Amino acid sequence: MPANRADRLLWRTACRSPGWLVSLGGVSVVGAVAALLLPDAVARAVDAALAVGDAAAAWSTLVLAVLLVAADGVGELAQAHCAASGTAWLRRRLTRHLMALEMREHRRFAPGDMVSRLSGDAAEAGGVGPLCVQLLTALVVSLGAVVALALLDWWLAVVFLVSVPVALRLAGTHLRRTNDDVAAYQRLSGELSARLLDAVRGVRTIEAAGAVEREVGRVLRPLPALAEAGRGMWRSQAVLVWRAGLLLPAVEVAVLTTAGMGVSSGRMSVGDLVAAAGYVALGMTAIRYGPHLTRLARARAAAARLLAVLDVPTRAGGGRPAPPGAGRIVLCGVSVHGERGEPLLSSVDLVVPEGAMVAVVGRSGSGKSTLAAVVAGLLEPDRGQVLLDGVPLRDLRSDGMGALVACAFERPTLLGATVADAIAYGCDVSSRPSPEALRSAAAAAQVDDVIARLPRGMDTPMDAVPLSGGEAQRFGLARALAREARVLVLDDAMSSVDAATEARLTHAVTSSLPGRTRVVVTHRLTTAARADLVLWLDGGRVRGYAPHHDLWCEPDYRSVFAVP
């Protein structure tokens, strides 16, 4: 097992398809043997033809040529299977790891950069198995050709081996020059992808602001450094190619001159001269495969980039099943810090009674969304703990949290092939809501009128449904309501709807969900007034926790809603 961690990841990737890898190794051995025997067979055929002998040597040449072609064909198939298997394994592993990361850890990587790692880097690293087999086969063929030259005439091998130190130095210099350029190229490619994805997402804002040219400049800012890294790679590649291109003819001239002297002195036959020409070309196979060293350097750099994600710790889910209870939430000394160490929540102690609706209010940046994420189990606090019906959230099985806590967000992402799939998203097949339950959730979320206008109703493909911001929020709320979870967390999930719709939604959340515990992040006075309790946050601390009418006498509380 390699000592370098990136190389260990590549080793495990190469072993994802052992059957095909062994098959590739087998046909590579067959191909190598056929390639090494072919020059000798051609030599015997030439000598037989000159001596007007039998045609057995010609037939053996034909058989070896057919065998070589067949081995190449099977090898191409095995290479494709190995590369596809390794790439798929890396992408599955990276995707699972990303899905298991805490919310704050996701912010380390821009979406465009992650797309680059999932697509480009996984493909580069996934093909390392066939690549190593190719390089190893090239080395074996080269060594076999040197042995064959020695068997023909030891002077041929001596002349050929003089070039080996030059070749090894050439390969080593190429790797050293290429590694840094490859790593920089892949890093800058990821940065360029991240900037481009941000620009595509905000294209309407960019156009409305008249900032197209400025944004193009921002997106393309890494391009000069990317171009320089690319030029560095190609300069190294070009040096290797032209030096190898000069080295092969020089070695061929030297070896064939020595072979010609052998023929003239009677040590070698004309067929041996032909074989020497073939073995010189085979002996230089490792040099001709020099560009594959660039691919190997890219695979190692890609593995290092994948490890940068895989090394980020994931949420450590517990093994306890869902406890009995009705959704009582307790926060004990919960503190959360941001990326720069700034406090987002500071020593929050809170009890949310089962079945109660708690509105979370405060100015922008007061910690409302952070608290919602902590209650939902999406964010592990740096200190303290969150209890659901007496059991710490961290001790509960992560695959069972969806049945306990349902969430709706300000900007929901609607996933699923159809409208029905989008509303039922996240539910197990065994617990998928019935069509009646889906319609009921859509009606409670005030999105049933939108569905009624669709050509196929609930069966309409989701990508064919144009939605405004408010409609998307209502779909996200319907998805949360359909799960019938013990706790419902709404993080500003009604901010984009009009006042009349917001009133109906608030009524549905407060009156139509008996027995559910609801934590609602809101900026609206009407929602806070309808809640059982209001949690007033200020700078990450609890400023007040009481019914709305008890807090209303505080001027600072009224100013949260811009009321003097």
Side-chain angles (χ1 to χ4, degrees):
M1 185 70 69
N4 183 281
R5 295 185 64 247
D7 291 342
R8 287 202 298 270
L9 179 62
L10 292 177
W11 171 263
R12 294 167 64 187
T13 302
C15 295
R16 285 303 95 193
S17 185
W20 282 106
L21 191 63
V22 170
S23 300
L24 177 59
V27 296
S28 297
V29 170
V30 171
V33 171
L36 289 171
L37 292 178
L38 188 58
D40 182 66
V42 171
R44 287 188 288 108
V46 170
D47 287 340
L50 292 175
V52 196
D54 58 36
W59 280 108
S60 64
T61 302
L62 179 61
V63 170
L64 288 171
V66 171
L67 189 61
L68 188 59
V69 171
D72 285 343
V74 177
E76 289 291 336
L77 180 63
Q79 287 178 37
H81 275 275
C82 288
S85 178
T87 301
W89 178 72
L90 284 172
R91 286 174 176 164
R92 283 195 299 267
R93 183 177 177 188
L94 193 63
T95 301
R96 288 196 186 100
H97 194 86
L98 282 172
M99 295 300 101
L101 289 179
E102 281 191 349
M103 194 169 64
R104 79 181 97 191
E105 303 296 353
H106 277 285
R107 301 189 184 117
R108 294 192 186 189
F109 308 100
D113 182 44
M114 285 313 310
V115 170
S116 174
R117 296 179 198 240
L118 271 169
S119 56
D121 292 338
E124 290 280 7
V128 71
L131 178 62
C132 289
V133 171
Q134 289 176 323
L135 289 171
L136 185 60
T137 302
L139 181 60
V140 169
V141 169
S142 295
L143 293 176
V146 174
V147 172
L149 285 174
L151 293 175
L152 287 175
D153 189 291
W154 66 274
W155 275 110
L156 300 180
V158 169
V159 172
F160 183 87
L161 288 174
V162 169
S163 66
V164 171
V166 178
L168 292 178
R169 183 175 180 182
L170 184 63
T173 302
H174 175 71
L175 277 179
R176 286 191 298 273
R177 289 179 175 176
T178 305
N179 278 337
D180 292 342
D181 287 329
V182 167
Y185 189 88
Q186 291 176 321
R187 176 180 56 80
L188 292 166
S189 295
E191 182 180 343
L192 188 65
S193 299
R195 290 170 180 252
L196 180 60
L197 184 58
D198 289 342
V200 170
R201 284 178 168 177
V203 64
R204 289 190 299 177
T205 302
I206 295 167
E207 291 179 352
V212 173
E213 291 301 321
R214 186 165 66 249
E215 187 63 20
V216 168
R218 185 192 72 84
V219 171
L220 299 182
R221 194 168 298 149
L223 203 56
L226 182 71
E228 182 57 34
R231 282 193 293 268
M233 289 169 54
W234 289 115
R235 279 195 297 265
S236 299
Q237 187 93 341
V239 169
L240 178 67
V241 169
W242 77 258
R243 286 182 179 176
L246 290 178
L247 186 61
L248 177 58
V251 173
E252 283 183 333
V253 169
V255 171
L256 291 180
T257 299
T258 305
M261 294 173 60
V263 172
S264 63
S265 66
R267 297 195 319 270
M268 299 174 59
S269 66
V270 175
D272 291 338
L273 178 62
V274 175
Y279 284 127
V280 169
L282 290 176
M284 299 302 292
T285 302
I287 302 301
R288 288 200 301 272
Y289 269 71
H292 283 59
L293 296 176
T294 302
R295 290 180 54 196
L296 183 60
R298 290 204 305 263
R300 296 184 72 194
R305 280 171 51 80
L306 296 178
L307 278 176
V309 180
L310 296 174
D311 285 344
V312 178
T314 59
R315 287 176 290 179
R320 296 185 61 174
R328 177 183 173 86
I329 301 170
V330 178
L331 277 67
C332 305
V334 168
S335 295
V336 178
H337 295 93
E339 296 179 6
R340 296 181 297 274
E342 70 278 13
L344 303 180
L345 291 176
S346 300
S347 302
V348 174
D349 293 306
L350 177 68
V351 176
V352 179
E354 56 269 25
M357 175 177 169
V358 174
V360 183
V361 303
R363 299 183 184 277
S364 179
S366 61
K368 302 185 299 296
S369 292
T370 302
L371 184 132
V374 168
V375 170
L378 300 177
L379 182 62
E380 180 74 19
D382 295 306
R383 288 197 303 274
Q385 62 179 349
V386 182
L387 306 177
L388 175 60
D389 291 322
V391 177
L393 288 182
R394 66 168 66 95
D395 294 344
L396 295 173
R397 292 170 51 182
S398 56
D399 58 353
M401 283 296 296
L404 297 175
V405 182
C407 300
F409 305 103
E410 180 182 6
R411 290 183 291 274
T413 300
L414 301 174
L415 304 172
T418 64
V419 169
D421 292 336
I423 297 177
Y425 183 78
C427 298
D428 295 333
V429 176
S430 58
S431 61
R432 181 184 172 94
S434 64
E436 293 76 15
L438 294 179
R439 285 192 289 270
S440 177
Q446 303 295 308
V447 78
D448 52 336
D449 59 332
V450 177
I451 298 174
R453 295 195 300 267
L454 298 176
R456 296 171 58 186
M458 284 280 191
D459 295 326
T460 304
M462 199 64 214
D463 57 5
V465 182
L467 296 175
S468 66
E471 290 169 342
Q473 282 192 342
R474 283 184 275 161
F475 265 102
L477 181 59
R479 179 176 59 193
L481 297 177
R483 304 190 71 155
E484 298 186 353
R486 197 176 298 181
V487 177
L488 182 64
V489 178
L490 307 182
D491 184 5
D492 230 1
M494 296 180 283
S495 59
S496 296
V497 301
D498 58 77
T501 303
E502 185 268 341
R504 293 194 296 271
L505 288 175
T506 303
H507 175 74
V509 171
T510 55
S511 305
S512 303
L513 301 173
R516 293 204 212 181
T517 303
R518 291 141 293 168
V519 177
V520 183
V521 174
T522 183
H523 293 90
R524 295 191 173 181
L525 175 61
T526 53
T527 304
R530 288 190 176 99
D532 300 311
L533 293 165
V534 176
L535 175 66
W536 175 19
L537 292 177
D538 187 6
R541 295 183 179 274
V542 177
R543 180 79 178 271
Y545 185 48
H548 170 74
H549 59 79
D550 291 346
L551 297 173
W552 189 248
C553 60
E554 292 280 348
D556 288 346
Y557 176 75
R558 294 197 300 270
S559 69
V560 170
F561 306 100
V563 176

